[in-house]
Amino acid sequence: MKKDDRFVKQITPKSADFSKWYLEMIRKAELADYAPMKGMMVIRPYGYAIWENIQRLLDERIKKTGHSNAYFPLFIPESFLQKETEHLKGFSPEVAWVTVGGSEELEERLAVRPTSEAIIGNMYSKWIKSWRDLPVLINQWANIVRWEKVTRPFLRTTEFLWQEGHTAHGTEQEAVDETMMILDLYKEFVETELAIPVVSGKKSEMERFAGASDTYAIEALMSDGKALQMGTSHFLGQHFSEVFNIRYEDKEQNLQYVWQTSWGVSTRLVGALIMSHGDDSGLRLPPNVAPIQVIIVPISIGNWKEDVLPAAKDIERELLQLGLRVKIDDREEFTPGWKFSEWEMRGVPLRIEIGPRDIKNKHVISVRRDTLEKEQIPFSELSERIPLVLQDIQNSLFESALKFQTENTHDVQTYDEFQKIMDSQRGFIKVFWCGEPLCERKIKDETMATIRIVLPEDPHDKKEGHCILCGKDSNKRVLFAKAY
RNA sequence: CGGGGAGUGGCGCAGCCUGGUUAGCGCGCCUGCUUUGGGAGCAGGAAGUCGUCGGUUCGAAUCCGAUCUCCCCGACCA
C-alpha cells in the first residue's frame, strides 16, 4: 500500500522506521505506557487482555500435560542464589536486592527473583523423599525482575510477567523427555494461537541458561529480519539437585539426586505479536488472542440509534452466543470512518459495518483486517460465516508469516555471502558450524549474528559440511541471526 | 556501561544560539449547532511554568552544573 493510500494516518509506517513504528504502536494502540522508573512499563487493559488470552490458552495446555500451578515467594535469600555457581554468575549482574526491611538492615540480602530455580530447589528438597513423590510437575505464573541495561517495552523490561515450569524426575531420560515435550508444546502453542511460525532446537554453549545442562528454545523471525527468542526449555541435569540436596530413595533403596527441568515464556510474546504481524496501518492481531475479535460499527446516519443500533445489538448477541469476543462501537462523538481507522490500527481481526442500506438488504459488510477484503454476509449466515472467516484470518496470518520466514531463511555456502546478508536484509542464515565457541564469537563480532539454535537433524538436509568460518569438517547445522 | 540525540498543555512540535512584558502552533479535549457509508465543518472555550534540583543574573524555557527519563548506535544480556 502506498503511504498516501493508507487509511490510518496517525502512525509512522512500519516500512519507514521499524523501531519508531514499534514504539508508537504500543502507545497508540494503548497496549502499554512508560512508567516513571527506568525500564518499567504499565501494561494497559488492551495489552493485558492479550496477555490474559495467552495465559488462558497456554495454561490449558500446561495443565493438560499434567502440571499444576503453585506460587513461590518473590524474594530469594542471597545464599540460595550462591549455591549454583554458574547460575549466580549468569544472573548476579542483573539482580535487584532488598537490603532493608522497614527501618532495619537485613542480616542477609534478599534477591528479587530473576528466576525461581533456587527458591524452588530449596522447597523441593523438603518435599521430595521417595520415588513415590516423583515426578513433581509445577508451574507458576509470576513477575520477574532483571536489572537490564537496555530495555524496550515488552521485549526487555526490568520487571516482566511470565510462566515458569519447574519439574523434578527420577531419571535423566524422563527429564529430557519433559524438556522436549515442553519445547514442542511451546512451538505448537505459538504457531496455533499466536500464528507465529518458529524454529526450535538446542542453544549453543554461549547462549545456554546459567546453570542448565542444555537449553532449548523456540525462535521466530520478526519482520525486520531480527530473531526473537520466544520461549526456552532447559534440561537442568542434576546441577540444582546436587546443591540443594534434592534426593529420593529409589525402589532399590538407593539415594538418588533428582533430574530437573525448567521452562518459560513471558510477556515478550506480546512484543512478538506486534512485530511479526503488524503492518503500515497498525496491529494485526490473530483472532485467537485478540481482545476484541469482532468490532461492530453501526453507520450513524439520521435516526441511527433507533434504526440501526437495535440490529447491531442483535448481531452482537448472536455472536456472543457463539463465544466470540465482540464489541459495538456506538460512540456518538466519532464518525464511522474514524472508527474504521481506529480499530484497524488497534488490530481487531474483523469489522462488521451495518447501516440502513444493509438492514434493508438483510446483510452486513464485513472487512477483515489482514487483507482489508470486504464481504457481504446475509444476516441468516452470520453464525456460520463469521467463525469461518476468523479461522481463515488466523490461518492466513500464520501462512504469510511462514512465507516471510521461508523467504528470509538463507542457505549460504560462503562467509562472504553470510556477511552480505547480515549487512542487508538479515534473516535466518543456515550454515555448518564446527562447534568452537571461538568461531561463534568471531562471527558475532564481525556480523552481529549469533547462533540462535543448533538445528535438529533433518533427513532432507545435508549431514556433513564445513564450518562457515574456519572450514573444518562439521556435522552441526545451525541457524544464525541477529537477535533482539 | 560508552558514544550520540532528546525532554516545552494529552500527542507531535516551534521558541533556546544572540536571557527581557500575557510561552506559541497543529492535532486532541470541553460546549453548542450542523454533520456522519473511510479519520466532518463552523463558532466559542479549558488546559502548560518549560523533566527535576541547584547555580549565574535585576531578570532564566533560554546560560552553567548535577540528576532522572526516553530514543538511536555499540558493549552486555535466561
Side-chain angles (χ1 to χ4, degrees), chain A residues 182-192 196-200 218:
Chain A
I182 291 294
L183 185 69
D184 290 343
L185 184 153
Y186 280 162
K187 181 174 159 72
E188 184 276 331
F189 165 72
V190 168
E191 295 191 336
T192 306
I196 301 174
V198 298
V199 291
S200 62
I218 53 172

Side-chain angles (χ1 to χ4, degrees), chain A residues 466-481:
Chain A
H466 304 285
C467 175
I468 190 71
L469 190 67
C470 70
K472 270 190 218 136
D473 287 347
S474 156
N475 58 2
K476 266 194 176 118
R477 298 272 283 174
V478 298
L479 220 46
F480 270 94

Side-chain angles (χ1 to χ4, degrees), chain A residues 435-447:
Chain A
E436 286 299 325
L438 227 63
C439 276
E440 186 181 2
R441 180 82 231 179
K442 191 152 181 249
I443 292 172
K444 184 184 178 182
D445 289 345
E446 291 176 0
T447 68

Side-chain angles (χ1 to χ4, degrees), chain A residues 18 22-23 26 41 148 150-158 160 222 224 226 228-229 266-275 484:
Chain A
F18 189 85
Y22 175 77
L23 294 168
I26 286 171
M41 66 171 185
E148 302 279 0
V150 175
T151 55
R152 308 194 87 196
F154 288 114
L155 300 180
R156 178 174 286 106
T157 47
T158 302
F160 57 95
M222 301 296 104
D224 63 343
K226 285 162 80 174
L228 185 70
Q229 179 171 299
S266 71
T267 35
R268 174 180 266 200
L269 293 181
V270 178
L273 278 175
I274 303 168
M275 293 195 294
Y484 263 100

Side-chain angles (χ1 to χ4, degrees), chain A residues 58-68 135 137 167 178 181-182 185 263:
Chain A
L58 182 56
D59 198 59
E60 279 169 10
R61 286 169 168 80
I62 290 172
K63 285 175 179 155
K64 211 172 278 174
T65 46
H67 306 84
S68 304
L137 306 173
T167 69
E178 166 84 7
M181 186 272 285
I182 291 294
L185 184 153
W263 28 274

